[in-house]
């Protein structure tokens, strides 16, 4: 065996933990998760185990990067990869990722490996340097557009390849990449309010850019993630193809569960009866299976939230902390959840203060599998899941787009799933 110097051992251990949970790596090495934790803190492992760790890294990396793919895609404004999960399941392979937040990058690499480097600031990336791809995915931020510069350029007769109606916004980066690479399809995701943002101007400009300037057939639809998870979460999805392939939202929605038959919170809450496997090594659950006491609101915070809600109700405002139970559906999980958890508080019974969701429950509330690893602090995890997408919805959309993608990329026949009876 080639001798491995201490710095390389530390880097190797970091990479292994980017591909496996502590428990998974411990099982691979026939050691305990606590032992893995001690090695991580020390930045070292016994020399005899170095070959086993190298084999584990090679095994997981091969599985992640060498699987056959029916199409390729890029993941822009990727967050923690919720959209990616859906399109990988539909047969796609990610060839480029962009995400500016370093903590989101950490979670992304922990779950998807490091088969390609994550680009940070997409505004600094030349579109020509992005790999060719079949599908572009983007959950871009919502920003208002200024039309003043466009009017001036039009008056001066200065064509710019495509009209710069979106210059200075992050949608502009989506626009310039599509214009350069002309993928067969795209999926853009945003908050429902995109439609009414800036008096409707933002949405009008986006549709004009995608349809008239770039020449795509675009199908927008507001879809509620409540069909798949116990959470009211309406988002607008814009599906685009380079030419009309018969994509029909009404048919797609007909293949999904109805909003009225979505799951309840009991499907995502910790069981707390000692029967749930602790996947997070005691981070969220006590030894007896109960949720850690730190997630229960203190008397001071609970009194403050109740008084604040009473004050706003008296003034006719809409604020109110929301206490829900296993048979309920929650409000929308937001990125601010870490502050006080007021939009989704879990009842612990009469005369007992409610508690916040744990980050694992937030992951479930967004439809992430329990195998999804959470390597960041609770505050960062709450932000990341609050900013993410409903994963099973992305899986359904990816499955619905797949026939059109393969038709354009492989001349495959169009075979769409029929709606449920």
């Amino acid at each position: 065996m080639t001798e491995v110097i201490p710095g390389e051992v530390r880097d190797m251990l970091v990479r292994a933990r980017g591909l496996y949970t502590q428990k998974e790596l411990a099982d691979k090495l026939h050691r305990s998760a606590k032992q893995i934790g001690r090695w991580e803190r020390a930045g070292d492992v016994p020399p005899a185990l170095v070959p086993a760790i190298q084999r584990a890294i090679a095994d997981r990396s091969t599985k992640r990067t060498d699987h056959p793919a029916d199409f390729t895609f890029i993941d822009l404004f990727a967050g923690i990869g919720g959209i990616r999960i859906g399109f990988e399941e539909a047969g796609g392979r990610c060839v480029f990722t962009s995400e500016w937040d370093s903590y989101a990058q950490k979670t992304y690499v922990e779950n998807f490996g490091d088969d390609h480097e994550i680009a940070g600031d997409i505004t600094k990336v030349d579109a020509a340097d992005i790999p060719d791809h079949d599908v572009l995915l983007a959950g871009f931020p919502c920003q208002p557009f200024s039309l003043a510069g466009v009017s001036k350029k039009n008056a001066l007769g200065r064509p710019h390849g495509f009209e710069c109606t979106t210059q200075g916004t992050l949608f502009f980066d989506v626009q310039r990449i599509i214009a350069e690479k002309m993928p067969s399809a795209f999926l853009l995701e945003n908050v429902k309010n995109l439609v009414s943002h800036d008096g409707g101007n933002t949405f009008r400009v986006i549709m004009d850019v995608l349809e008239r300037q770039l020449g795509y057939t675009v199908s927008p639809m507001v879809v509620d993630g409540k069909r798949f998870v116990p959470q009211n979460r309406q988002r607008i999805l814009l599906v685009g193809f380079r030419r009309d392939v018969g994509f029909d939202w009404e048919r797609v929605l007909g293949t999904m569960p109805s909003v009225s038959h979505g799951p309840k919170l009991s499907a995502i809450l910790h069981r707390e009866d000692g029967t749930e496997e602790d996947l997070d090594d005691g981070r969220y659950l006590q030894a007896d299976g109960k949720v850690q006491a730190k997630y229960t609101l203190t008397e001071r915070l609970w009194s403050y939230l109740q008084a604040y809600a009473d004050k706003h109700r008296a003034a006719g405002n809409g604020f109110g902390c929301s206490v829900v139970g296993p048979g309920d559906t929650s409000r929308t999980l937001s990125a601010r959840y870490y502050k006080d958890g007021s939009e989704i508080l879990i009842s612990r019974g009469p005369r007992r203060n409610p508690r916040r969701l744990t980050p694992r429950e937030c992951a479930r509330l967004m439809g992430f599998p329990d195998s999804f690893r959470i390597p960041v602090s609770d505050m960062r995890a709450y932000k990341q899941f609050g900013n993410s997408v409903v994963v099973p919805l992305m899986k359904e959309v990816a499955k619905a787009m797949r026939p059109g993608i393969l038709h354009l990329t492989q001349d495959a026949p169009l075979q769409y799933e029929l709606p449920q009876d």
Side-chain angles (χ1 to χ4, degrees), residues 278-286 292:
D278 187 354
L279 302 170
D280 300 286
D281 300 320
R283 180 173 173 182
Y284 310 125
L285 300 179
Q286 300 173 169
Q292 293 276 5

Side-chain angles (χ1 to χ4, degrees), residues 110-148:
E110 178 86 5
N111 287 280
F112 299 104
D114 56 357
D115 53 329
H116 58 262
E117 185 177 352
I118 297 179
D121 186 352
I122 192 62
T123 67
K124 302 290 196 299
V125 178
D126 190 326
D129 293 334
I130 293 175
D132 292 338
H133 52 276
D134 299 315
V135 185
L136 178 146
L137 310 175
F140 65 96
C142 180
Q143 296 169 282
F145 301 138
S146 171
L147 299 180

Side-chain angles (χ1 to χ4, degrees), residues 31-76:
R31 296 294 191 277
S32 69
K34 289 183 178 180
Q35 182 63 68
I36 302 296
R38 285 195 287 270
W39 292 342
E40 285 188 278
R41 288 190 291 275
D44 199 7
V45 297
L49 288 177
V50 167
I53 295 176
Q54 290 173 327
R55 287 194 297 272
I57 291 172
D59 179 55
R60 181 59 64 92
S61 297
T62 299
K63 288 179 181 178
R64 289 190 181 278
T65 60
D66 292 345
H67 63 84
D70 295 323
F71 60 90
T72 58
F73 64 87
I74 65 171
D75 198 8
L76 307 181

Side-chain angles (χ1 to χ4, degrees), residues 303-325:
S303 296
Y304 168 78
L305 288 176
Q306 291 178 94
Y308 195 66
D310 290 342
K311 175 183 174 182
H312 277 269
R313 273 194 295 270
N317 299 330
F319 175 85
C321 47
S322 175
V323 181
V324 289

Side-chain angles (χ1 to χ4, degrees), residues 199-240:
N201 177 63
T202 300
F203 190 66
R204 284 192 295 271
V205 170
I206 287 173
M207 290 298 290
D208 178 75
V209 165
L210 296 174
E211 292 184 319
R212 186 178 64 83
Q213 298 185 36
L214 296 174
Y216 282 74
T217 298
V218 185
S219 303
M221 178 62 69
V222 173
V223 186
D224 196 339
K226 185 180 176 182
R227 293 169 178 267
F228 300 95
V229 294
Q231 173 190 183
N232 290 288
R233 195 177 189 90
Q234 293 185 310
R235 291 295 186 269
I236 186 164
L237 303 176
L238 290 86
V239 170

